[in-house]
Amino acid sequence: MRELIAEILGWLGYLERGSIQLQLLLLAAVLLGLQLHWTRRWLRRWPRAVAPLLGSVATLLLSLALQNRSIPAGLLQFLGLSWLGWTLLDLLRMPFLRWLPEQRVQQLFSRIFRPLYLLLAILALINQLDSSRDLAVIGIGKLFGIALTIGNISTAVLVIYGLLVASGPPAAALAWLLHRLIGISDGSRKALEIILSYAVVGLGITAVCFQLGLNSTALLAIAGGLSVGLGFGIKEVFSNFISGIWLLFEGSVRPGEVLMLDGDSCEVRKLGLRATLLWRDRDNAELLIPNQTFFTEAATSYTASDRMRRSQVNVGAAYHHDPATVIALLEATALQVPLVLKQPAPKALLLSYGDFAINYALRFWIANPMDNVTICSDVNQAIWQTFQEHQIEIPFPQQVEYAMTWPPQAHEPNLEHPRPRS
């Protein structure tokens, strides 16, 4: 570790050189000038990739100007080329978007291309200041009696990261092949894909440990530490992991399914290994629900076997209207709403005789449960218009007062001049 600190301090010594300070000042001036000029309106109309392209070209031109004056400009030239390469890497997104979805391209660049480019740029910068081979043999400590160096630790991290990123496509291809041959469900295929991916990662980590020189005793000690962690700190994480695998195999919670959560309909967007991502329509919110919640609490699904859902609105009509007429008008009104299904046909029912109105229910079917609130609003508006056209009264609560005499036995109802009070 002391050798590594000495190497880093040696690199910082380059900052004391006047030529290095001049190059860094010029780079800072390019960044500041680019930021100030980009605030102007005529530059905002250009594509966003123009700004870094202009900055990298300006940096390279400044390095050439310094070299013409016999001033060292290797660092400035290296930074300009790295900046230009990063800009061109972003421009390569356009060809990929022609063949792949935008989300997949974003994952490809953020997980593979950009990290790989940064790694190569860092190695090139280290070779500018020192030798990466000399740096790789510097020891940083011991683990279970095994000497660890920067080189083998960096190699192990890169291999594990590569397994995490690159194990997905082969696992998905193998799971798809088994899906075609055996005929397993989509949920089982997704679960098998994740299990295969994590199995490859687990075998890769074990191989890396053996490559570092760790024996079976050391691996058992690490496994024992992880088991203790499961009992104390990460028990919930492990429980959610197992619950996610089980849900994928069972298929009870699938992407695209609509569930009721706290009285709101939510659509399942993604079923992860730790939590399930739900989308709530009324406020465009995304909810992360731990997977074990679906094993400990009851959940109502509207799309487990069919996405059709029966909905209902309630309305009251005055007593002097014929119930058969009101029922017929309600059913005809529901058929006029565009998103109400014609089959099964809407059904209106007389529910009860209330204190001041006859209570009706209009039941109808919709194709998408996520549209329930909007469709109910449309149906209610259509009922209002229909009742207005046919002079169907929707009464409000009211009371009738009568003058009374004492004692109550001598009271006679005043039926001629009642005084209503709302």
Side-chain angles (χ1 to χ4, degrees), residues 313-343:
V313 296
N314 298 323
V315 64
Y319 272 91
H320 56 267
H321 299 299
D322 183 16
T325 303
V326 176
I327 290 176
L329 285 175
L330 289 175
E331 294 178 349
T333 301
L335 292 173
Q336 297 174 4
V337 179
L339 294 180
V340 173
L341 298 180
K342 305 300 185 294
Q343 293 293 332

Side-chain angles (χ1 to χ4, degrees), residues 297-308:
E297 298 180 7
T300 302
S301 173
Y302 289 119
T303 54
S305 58
D306 194 349
R307 291 190 65 89
M308 283 200 315

